[in-house]
Amino acid sequence: MLAFRYLFKHTFHTLRSRAGRALLLLFWKYGHRPRYQTTKVRFGRYEFEVPDAFSWLWQYEEIYVEEFYKFQSSSSTPVIYDCGANVGMSVLYFKELYPQARIKAFEAEPSIANYLTQNLKTNGITDVEIIQKAVWKDTHGVWFGEGQADDASIYGEGTKKHIPSVRLRDQLATETKVDFLKIDIEGAEIEVIPDCADVLDRVQHLFVEFHAYLGQPQALTKVIEVIEQAGFRYYIDTNQHRRSPFVNHRYRNNDVMDLQLNISAWRPHV
């Protein structure tokens, strides 16, 4: 049913691009699969194993149809930090965009990190540094609530477990230039980005998927203030558009978050 709703609503928009037409076919093929069951998916010349076919389809749309991570670099070997690499779709996209890119891929959830590692290996991508730790503001580890596909977080309501962490600020400090920094870390960005404030000057393009969890401060200004002070221009979009927001305080009865935004930031000279 979810696949048919998608096809009805988005057919005209997606048919305009090759990636969109491919997505429609993928929805026909995998959109009916039961949620949260391991599935082997094939797209183009690639094969992935994913923990939830439907959430993977939305990743495909964001990365290949909407191209949220597309950027231009004068270097054939750009430095890319992928924080929250999940099962590897973003890494794959970056490698298609810049085959010689130097990529660090961070994934906190151990089971998802295993999918990431295996998917890259299956598709012959062997030159990516995979760091199976949570991106955080220190190296003391962090308590994570387990998720089912792409929703494990520090605010997760699942079984809590202590995950090793890496301080992103210290990682960035080792670089003279980071061409693209992607941060999709399910709410931890509220703490991580301010901690990185003094090293963001070396980042050329910054993508942040911002999350506001119910019962927690929204803290958007905390993130935006750092981005502005670091000298970025930025654009904000949302994939949770809803009508009558004064009445509908949540997106499609979302019982976890009441705000999710995509923040794309870049240097004015880029």
Side-chain angles (χ1 to χ4, degrees):
M1 179 60 72
L2 289 172
F4 287 109
R5 288 179 183 174
Y6 177 89
L7 292 172
F8 178 78
K9 184 176 181 180
H10 296 279
T11 297
F12 177 76
H13 172 71
T14 54
L15 282 174
R16 291 184 296 175
S17 71
R18 181 178 179 181
R21 292 189 292 273
L23 177 62
L24 290 176
L25 293 175
L26 291 172
F27 259 96
W28 276 110
K29 189 172 183 179
Y30 300 112
H32 65 284
R33 299 295 176 91
R35 297 298 309 271
Y36 310 119
Q37 291 187 13
T38 298
T39 303
K40 284 189 176 181
V41 296
R42 292 180 174 83
F43 54 105
R45 65 181 187 274
Y46 305 112
E47 177 180 296
F48 269 36
E49 188 170 75
V50 300
D52 178 42
F54 194 72
S55 62
W56 171 78
L57 287 165
W58 289 116
Q59 289 181 31
Y60 186 96
E61 181 191 35
E62 292 177 349
I63 296 170
Y64 280 95
V65 180
E66 300 298 335
E67 291 195 288
F68 287 166
Y69 307 147
K70 185 176 182 179
F71 73 100
Q72 294 181 333
S73 174
S74 59
S75 172
S76 62
T77 58
V79 175
I80 299 171
Y81 275 41
D82 189 340
C83 304
N86 201 258
V87 299
M89 288 295 289
S90 50
V91 172
L92 182 65
Y93 178 81
F94 289 135
K95 273 298 183 181
E96 287 188 337
L97 199 61
Y98 295 102
Q100 299 179 60
R102 178 165 67 85
I103 301 176
K104 283 190 176 183
F106 303 82
E107 177 52 48
E109 172 59 46
S111 62
I112 302 299
N114 290 336
Y115 284 105
L116 167 65
T117 302
Q118 187 58 50
N119 285 337
L120 296 186
K121 181 179 179 181
T122 298
N123 292 281
I125 300 173
T126 59
D127 59 347
V128 172
E129 182 180 355
I130 299 173
I131 301 173
Q132 296 189 23
K133 294 182 179 181
V135 169
W136 190 232
K137 59 183 179 180
D138 58 46
T139 59
H140 305 316
V142 61
W143 287 95
F144 251 64
E146 289 183 338
Q148 294 178 293
D150 56 2
D151 56 353
S153 79
I154 58 175
Y155 303 118
E157 297 180 354
T159 302
K160 296 286 186 177
K161 56 186 176 183
H162 196 254
I163 301 293
S165 64
V166 59
R167 188 184 182 195
L168 180 61
R169 186 259 172 218
D170 292 345
Q171 294 282 315
L172 294 175
T174 66
E175 307 285 355
T176 57
K177 178 182 178 183
V178 176
D179 295 88
F180 195 97
L181 171 59
K182 171 205 157 196
I183 298 180
D184 182 2
I185 51 178
E186 305 300 321
E189 66 275 1
I190 293 172
E191 301 295 335
V192 171
I193 291 176
D195 186 58
C196 294
D198 68 326
V199 294
L200 286 181
D201 59 342
R202 62 204 67 197
V203 176
Q204 302 302 300
H205 301 85
L206 170 65
F207 177 89
V208 180
E209 186 169 293
F210 175 85
H211 311 79
Y213 284 77
L214 295 171
Q216 302 293 330
Q218 288 188 308
L220 176 60
T221 55
K222 186 177 179 180
V223 172
I224 292 297
E225 183 178 27
V226 173
I227 291 174
E228 288 187 351
Q229 290 181 351
F232 288 103
R233 301 294 297 179
Y234 58 87
Y235 169 75
I236 299 177
D237 199 0
T238 179
N239 57 8
Q240 291 194 342
H241 175 77
R242 57 184 182 267
R243 296 179 179 177
S244 307
F246 290 113
V247 176
N248 302 315
H249 293 169
R250 303 180 188 179
Y251 173 73
R252 295 182 184 173
N253 300 315
N254 190 320
D255 59 358
V256 177
M257 290 180 285
D258 60 356
L259 182 63
Q260 184 173 327
L261 302 171
N262 297 318
I263 305 172
S264 303
W266 59 91
R267 302 257 159 230
H269 61 274
V270 172

